[in-house]
Amino acid sequence: MRDSLPREIRQIPLERIDVLNPRERNAKAFSDIVANIKAIGLKKPIVVTPRPSDDGSDRYLLVCGEGRMKAFKALGQATIPALVVEVDDEDAFIMSLTENVARRQWRPLELLAGIEQLLARGYNPRQISVKTGLTFSYVQGIVSLIKGGEQRLLVAVEKGDVPLNAALAIVGAGDDDKAVQAALQEAYEAGTLRGRKLIDTRRVLERRSKLGRSIARRMPRGTSDVTTSSLVRTYQKEVERQKAMVRKATIAQQRLLFTVSALQELFKDDNFVNLLRAEGLDTLPRYLAERVWTDGRRT
C-alpha cells in the first residue's frame, strides 16, 4: 500500500530529477501554477523515488508533480521540496497514473494513455480497477473501446458527452447504421441518452462516420507512430473547435429570438398582415411560423 511506504521530505536539486512520464500542459494552466507558487509558495511537495546513476551520484525519478517542478524551474529555483519514497518503476508509474486520475481536472487522453500502458504491461481490467480506484465496469468498458480503436468515442465518454453504456452499444452495433440507430433508440428509452447528451452523441457519430474512429492525424508512411502528446494536442484543438461552434450557435439563437420577437409584434398589426397577403408574402418557413403564431392566428 502507498500509505505504508517509507517516506521523508527533502530539498532535491531540480537537475537531479528525471521525469518518468513527461506530459505537455496547457500554457494557461501552467502559467496559473507558476503564478500561484510565486504568490503563496509550494502547498504540496512533489513525489520522487531515488535512482542511482552510473557515476554514483544521487538521482531521482519523478513520480508526481511535473507541473510544480517545471514551475520551480521557470521561477529560477535550484531545489524543490520533495517527498522521497522507495518504489520500483512499476509502482512509480501506477502512483503517477493514480495521481492524475485523482485530480479534479485531468485530460481524457492522459487517462486513456495510462490505461493503455497498464494493459501493455500485462494488467487485466480488474487489476487496473484496483490500482487506479476506478470501478471495474468502467475500466472494462474503456478497455473494450480501446481494443476496438474507438478513440473518438473514448474521448466523448471521458468528456461526459456520451454515456459509456451508450458508447458500448454503438460499438456492438458495428457498421450497420440501422443497428446503431436502434442502439440509440434503446438508450433513449432506457433514459440514459436524453436531451443534450443525445444531441452530443449524434454529433460524435457524425464525425466518427466522416472522419473515422481515431482522432489522431493520419501519418504518412515512414513516419513514427502517433505519440500521447500529439493526441493531447489534437484533442485540445477539437475542444477549441467545438467551443467555437457553440459560440456561433449561441449568436444564431440570439438573432433568431430577436427575429421571432419582431415578427410577433408586426403580425399584431392587421394592416401589415393584409399588405403581406396582397403581395403574396403571407407564408413563412414552418420553423418560424410555429414560433410567430400569436393570438391563436397563423400567418
Side-chain angles (χ1 to χ4, degrees), residues 3-43:
D3 291 339
S4 62
L5 296 172
R7 56 184 65 193
E8 60 176 307
I9 295 180
R10 305 180 200 165
Q11 284 287 342
I12 305 294
L14 290 168
E15 63 180 15
R16 295 186 182 179
I17 302 174
D18 300 312
V19 181
L20 177 64
N21 288 307
R23 297 182 178 88
E24 292 188 6
R25 280 172 165 75
N26 177 275
K28 174 64 169 60
F30 177 69
S31 64
D32 289 343
I33 294 175
V34 174
N36 189 266
I37 290 177
K38 184 177 181 180
I40 63 176
L42 186 67
K43 294 187 292 184

Side-chain angles (χ1 to χ4, degrees), residues 29-83:
F30 177 69
S31 64
D32 289 343
I33 294 175
V34 174
N36 189 266
I37 290 177
K38 184 177 181 180
I40 63 176
L42 186 67
K43 294 187 292 184
K44 181 180 179 182
I46 65 172
V47 180
V48 299
T49 185
R51 291 290 184 271
S53 63
D54 294 336
D55 60 8
S57 61
D58 293 333
R59 295 199 67 81
Y60 301 86
L61 194 63
L62 180 71
V63 178
C64 306
E66 183 182 359
R68 284 164 278 165
M69 187 186 77
K70 287 183 175 179
F72 258 61
K73 287 183 178 179
L75 291 169
Q77 300 295 316
T79 63
I80 186 171
L83 188 65

Side-chain angles (χ1 to χ4, degrees), residues 112 115 138-146 154 157-158 164:
L112 300 180
I115 293 178
Y138 176 84
V139 173
Q140 193 173 41
I142 292 296
V143 169
S144 297
L145 294 179
I146 288 175
L154 279 165
V157 168
E158 286 307 314
L164 178 58

